[in-house]
Amino acid sequence: MGGLTDWTYKRFWAHVEHPYRRLRRRLLELAGPGLTILDAGCGHTAPNLQELRDSGATLIGVDLVHLEPQPGMELIEADLGRIPLPDASVDLIYSRSVMEHVVDPDAVYGEAARLLKQGGRWIFLTANRWDYVSIVSRLTPNRFHAGIVRRFEGRDEIDVFPTAYRTNDRSQIAHYAAAHGFRIDAFERHGQYPAMFYRVGPLFLLATFFEKAVIKLPFLAGLRGWLYVELVKR
């Protein structure tokens, strides 16, 4: 971007681990030969699964969007609440930036519980419903989301999906986890650079000051933008 945006990023964020990297690091720790790993909401080309190709694991991706065939993995076009795989056939499920779009959490949690083996793990990274971007998103009709995201983030409309925020805080997650036989093994709140304002330097700097306060001050932890969750099937 140049100018103020670049200065702000280099000064405040260049050495901060992005939540995406937190998830990637954990997946690389867990992935290994003999495991079956499912990316629930993998995207058109399953980019996150591609990073696990050298792990020796069996890789499966599921999404409702059109999936382009990728070597070394099985991609399935299906709803996350109805995945055509056998019971207890998966060791690890993960989702990145997906759970905020789930409109029927009971169906998705139930399907994850059905697919996972005993002691299997489900990891997801999702937006916190109490982050300011999530609050604005919830107050804004979904039909306007694509235009707003295109303007501020430059993201293509094809990659913008309706949001629901029905399993995006501690109480919601605990409710559905307990109802479907999961225990919460990890629950973390993470901040990150304010990507929504990356294209507008002054707003990016102002939002950075807010984000840094939210990250630093414990009493504001509930406003951090990302939730990292690990559930284990009982």
Side-chain angles (χ1 to χ4, degrees), residues 36 81-91 93 110-118 233:
T36 297
R82 296 183 64 184
I83 300 173
L85 291 171
D87 294 358
S89 59
V90 176
D91 298 282
I93 300 173
E111 191 69 343
R114 181 185 72 81
L115 292 175
L116 281 171
K117 299 174 184 177
Q118 195 74 18
K233 182 178 176 179

Side-chain angles (χ1 to χ4, degrees), residues 26-221:
R26 180 58 168 153
L27 293 176
L28 290 172
E29 288 175 359
L30 293 173
L35 296 183
T36 297
I37 300 176
L38 174 65
D39 184 339
C42 62
H44 303 282
T45 60
N48 301 310
L49 268 184
Q50 293 187 38
E51 295 186 344
L52 302 178
R53 273 185 177 149
D54 295 334
S55 68
T58 298
L59 305 178
I60 305 172
V62 176
D63 209 317
L64 271 176
V65 301
H66 172 70
L67 300 175
E68 301 175 15
Q70 302 295 322
M73 62 187 69
E74 178 185 2
L75 300 183
I76 303 170
E77 293 183 21
D79 188 285
L80 297 187
R82 296 183 64 184
I83 300 173
L85 291 171
D87 294 358
S89 59
V90 176
D91 298 282
L92 171 64
I93 300 173
Y94 72 90
S95 303
R96 193 185 85 176
S97 299
V98 171
M99 299 303 288
E100 61 268 30
H101 304 290
V102 169
V103 297
D104 187 354
D106 274 314
V108 174
Y109 276 75
E111 191 69 343
R114 181 185 72 81
L115 292 175
L116 281 171
K117 299 174 184 177
Q118 195 74 18
R121 190 171 295 267
W122 181 16
I123 303 175
F124 57 84
L125 180 69
T126 188
N128 176 9
R129 74 192 303 263
W130 300 115
D131 171 56
Y132 66 93
V133 174
S134 298
I135 292 172
V136 171
S137 177
R138 284 156 49 204
L139 295 174
T140 305
N142 275 308
R143 66 180 180 274
F144 297 122
H145 287 187
I148 293 171
V149 171
R150 184 182 66 251
R151 168 66 180 85
F152 282 93
E153 294 188 44
R155 195 154 26 116
D156 292 338
E157 292 189 24
I158 193 175
D159 292 321
V160 180
F161 305 97
T163 51
Y165 298 103
R166 294 181 182 174
T167 177
N168 291 85
D169 64 20
R170 176 78 190 219
S171 63
Q172 291 176 328
I173 292 167
H175 167 75
Y176 290 111
H180 294 280
F182 289 101
R183 66 175 171 83
I184 299 177
D185 198 48
F187 184 92
E188 303 168 5
R189 296 181 175 93
H190 291 268
Q192 67 143 340
Y193 67 89
M196 178 61 71
F197 301 114
Y198 193 75
R199 294 159 64 91
V200 185
L203 291 180
F204 187 67
L205 178 60
L206 290 174
T208 286
F209 291 145
F210 174 80
E211 293 286 354
K212 286 295 183 179
V214 166
I215 291 171
K216 184 176 182 179
L217 300 175
F219 72 91
L220 294 178

